[in-house]
Amino acid sequence: MQRNALRLVDCDQRALALGLTRDLTLADARARIPSLIAVEAQPEADAALLDRLAAFCDRFTPLVALDLPYGLMLDITGCAHLFGGEAALHATIARWMRAGGLSHRAAIAGTPEAAHALSRFGGGGIVPVGEDEARLRPLPVAALELAPDTALALSRAGLRTLADLADRPSVALSARFGTELAIRLRRTLGHEDARITPLRPPPACVVERHFAEPMLDKEGLETVVARLITEAGRVLEQRGEGGRAFEVSFFRSDGAVRRLMVETGRPSRDAKAILRLWRERVDTLADPLDPGFGFDAVRLSVPVCEPLETHQPSLDGRQSLDGQPSLDGRAVEDEAVADLVDRLVTRFGRDRVLRFVAQDSHHPVRAAKAVSAALPASRVAWPAPEPHEPPTRPLQLFEPPQPVEAIAEVPDGPPIRFRWRRLIHDVARAEGPERIAPEWWRDGSSEPMRDYYRVEDSAGRRFWLFRIGFHEPEQAPPRWFLHGLFA
């Protein structure tokens, strides 16, 4: 409903041939064509279809963007030769669209704006290199898709084609109609290029395989994935990098796309380890990988890469059984733990396998944070205790701190006895206080300060207590809390 009337949002080719146009009221359209078939517009369904088409076109190039409201923009730079050239790629996309029951018009040009103008106003086709302006000059000014008032002003000035605008000085056009007109004209004529913004960020490394016939064999599919992982490892090795995330995309012959992602807790290019994670991922799928009528292509993308140094061999040059340089015991243990974490993340999900990382905060509760084990390590280092000194923070914290009853020998001094969980603990040793102020920018100025004590009872158990408040006349007595236990 627009302006108190039902209007046509769009028309097919037959309706356009009969003289119907967009924004025409439904009553006027039915008066002209009584047998008109009109269906309610579904913008959400149209957007979903366009997203599916974008995912389908991802098999041709990883740089796919929406050209709203009804189009797609593909950057095929460096990709056309994989399909036999631009003409063959153009024909392949046309064949797929017809097979899906979709009418379309495609153009290949030097800039996104030129391709858009040719597909919408010039009949589409392929523009040879360097001939963009010659093909675009006869197009109407509407191909620039300017604001309605600007288009009306150009029409009144007698400027009806792109050639009329191109033959006039750019400075004069900008002064009369604004800089946007000059920018759009330069980009449409191919004088200035602007990159598209793809739906999916371009990965740092991409390797893929296209099949002459759809592949149905799952064992053969795993062999292809293993070869892609090995090939990606060689590319990463040349760059001195390792991958933190590996995404395998399967393009089915019916247009469906299935993507599986595995992540590692550290940069890796170990083909065996990555393939093992991929198998774990496939085994845990609630919806098994169904080839349908077969897969036409498989792509391995590495969207996240980080520097990875090669391990230096020992001085005697000995290698391990798998051909890698031999590592010391600590390094082998770290590698084993990292592999275990990667397998757990792959099997149970990144949000269910957590680890603690240090935070830049003096507040004991905020000094550590549980994050996904798949995320990179925090740059904040854990505080190291002084040599031959006990740790300043306990391994176990109570949240919230547990109230205790404590007695101090002197006011505002360390406790000599406290009751916790109905048990009385006599303090043999105490150290403190360590005064910790609140983070006023988070907690506000009303949050009280805490005086912490490390205490040890007569049985050798160690506790982390703190006091809130002081012994002051006509004031409530201070309160004591147990915040943590030392190992």
Side-chain angles (χ1 to χ4, degrees):
M1 179 74 71
Q2 294 182 2
R3 299 191 295 275
N4 298 323
L6 293 176
R7 296 179 180 273
L8 301 183
V9 176
D10 215 332
C11 307
D12 60 9
Q13 295 295 331
R14 293 180 59 188
L16 292 174
L18 292 173
L20 301 184
T21 60
R22 296 172 185 168
D23 205 40
L24 183 68
T25 63
L26 181 60
D28 289 342
R30 290 194 183 279
R32 299 180 187 182
I33 307 174
S35 60
L36 176 68
I37 300 176
V39 296
E40 185 177 356
Q42 298 179 350
E44 295 82 5
D46 294 341
L49 175 61
L50 200 60
D51 289 338
R52 288 189 59 188
L53 289 176
F56 166 79
C57 291
D58 195 43
R59 71 186 61 203
F60 304 118
T61 172
L63 302 178
V64 180
L66 296 181
D67 187 21
L68 297 175
Y70 309 110
L72 296 175
M73 191 70 67
L74 281 64
D75 188 341
I76 61 172
T77 304
C79 301
H81 70 280
L82 299 175
F83 303 90
E86 294 180 351
L89 177 58
H90 188 276
T92 300
I93 294 177
R95 185 172 64 253
W96 277 102
M97 293 299 173
R98 288 195 298 270
L102 299 173
S103 58
H104 79 290
R105 186 183 298 162
I108 299 179
T111 64
E113 288 78 6
H116 174 89
L118 284 171
S119 61
R120 293 291 305 277
F121 299 90
I126 302 175
V127 180
V129 178
E131 299 184 12
D132 288 9
E133 182 174 355
R135 287 283 301 272
L136 289 159
R137 286 174 65 88
L139 297 185
V141 172
L144 298 178
E145 297 190 348
L146 300 169
D149 55 344
T150 304
L152 179 61
L154 290 172
S155 176
R156 290 176 176 176
L159 304 174
R160 292 181 171 80
T161 65
L162 299 187
D164 296 336
L165 297 177
D167 293 338
R168 282 162 174 76
S170 177
V171 177
L173 292 176
S174 299
R176 174 65 178 84
F177 301 102
T179 58
E180 183 181 0
L181 171 61
I183 293 174
R184 285 180 176 267
L185 181 62
R186 288 197 304 269
R187 292 180 177 179
T188 303
L189 296 179
H191 298 166
E192 179 182 314
D193 194 8
R195 298 292 86 193
I196 66 173
T197 303
L199 290 174
R200 296 164 53 83
C205 176
V206 178
V207 290
E208 58 186 28
R209 289 288 186 277
H210 294 264
F211 311 122
E213 296 291 337
M215 175 174 285
L216 294 167
D217 183 16
K218 291 186 177 181
E219 295 182 0
L221 193 66
E222 181 174 320
T223 302
V224 172
V225 172
R227 291 178 179 175
L228 291 177
I229 293 174
T230 302
E231 184 177 344
R234 289 196 296 265
V235 175
L236 294 175
E237 184 177 9
Q238 293 175 357
R239 301 177 182 177
E241 296 179 333
R244 287 287 313 279
F246 300 84
E247 183 186 65
V248 185
S249 302
F250 302 92
F251 300 92
R252 286 196 340 189
S253 57
D254 60 356
V257 182
R258 186 74 180 273
R259 293 184 172 92
L260 299 180
M261 173 83 78
V262 296
E263 297 177 287
T264 60
R266 69 207 186 286
S268 175
R269 52 176 180 260
D270 186 351
K272 294 182 180 179
I274 299 170
L275 182 61
R276 183 166 60 247
L277 293 178
W278 184 79
R279 290 170 178 163
E280 291 271 1
R281 184 75 176 87
V282 172
D283 292 340
T284 57
L285 289 176
D287 182 14
L289 191 62
D290 181 16
F293 294 103
F295 293 110
D296 291 325
V298 178
R299 173 184 297 158
L300 173 64
S301 304
V302 188
V304 182
C305 293
E306 293 180 1
L308 176 61
E309 297 180 358
T310 304
H311 293 295
Q312 181 177 354
S314 58
L315 294 178
D316 57 4
R318 289 183 298 176
Q319 304 285 322
S320 60
L321 294 178
D322 59 358
Q324 298 295 326
S326 59
L327 307 175
D328 58 24
R330 178 62 180 273
V332 171
E333 181 179 349
D334 292 344
E335 290 284 335
V337 172
D339 289 340
L340 174 60
V341 170
D342 292 342
R343 292 198 300 271
L344 293 175
V345 170
T346 302
R347 179 168 290 273
F348 299 110
R350 61 182 303 171
D351 295 331
R352 297 186 179 181
V353 184
L354 307 177
R355 60 184 174 88
F356 286 100
V357 296
Q359 298 292 302
D360 187 12
S361 175
H362 69 274
H363 197 283
V365 174
R366 300 190 181 105
K369 180 182 179 181
V371 300
S372 171
L375 295 176
S378 173
R379 296 183 178 180
V380 180
W382 291 104
E386 296 293 333
H388 309 294
E389 290 290 331
T392 59
R393 296 289 184 268
L395 292 178
Q396 178 182 358
L397 290 179
F398 295 111
E399 184 59 31
Q402 300 188 6
V404 298
E405 300 175 8
I407 300 175
E409 186 174 7
V410 296
D412 303 333
I416 60 174
R417 178 179 296 176
F418 66 92
R419 185 200 305 271
W420 176 52
R421 293 180 178 176
R422 301 183 180 180
L423 294 180
I424 295 178
H425 300 267
D426 293 322
V427 177
R429 299 176 183 83
E431 183 180 14
E434 177 189 1
R435 180 161 294 177
I436 298 180
E439 295 179 334
W440 56 266
W441 57 93
R442 293 180 179 176
D443 304 322
S445 58
S446 61
E447 185 73 13
M449 291 187 298
R450 300 176 179 181
D451 285 343
Y452 280 85
Y453 294 88
R454 292 185 295 178
V455 303
E456 181 179 327
D457 66 4
S458 56
R461 295 182 288 262
R462 291 179 293 174
F463 307 86
W464 204 37
L465 302 171
F466 70 86
R467 181 187 65 235
I468 294 180
F470 302 96
H471 289 277
E472 296 179 357
E474 299 181 358
Q475 296 291 335
R479 295 175 296 162
W480 286 88
F481 296 88
L482 175 64
H483 203 173
L485 301 175
F486 291 93

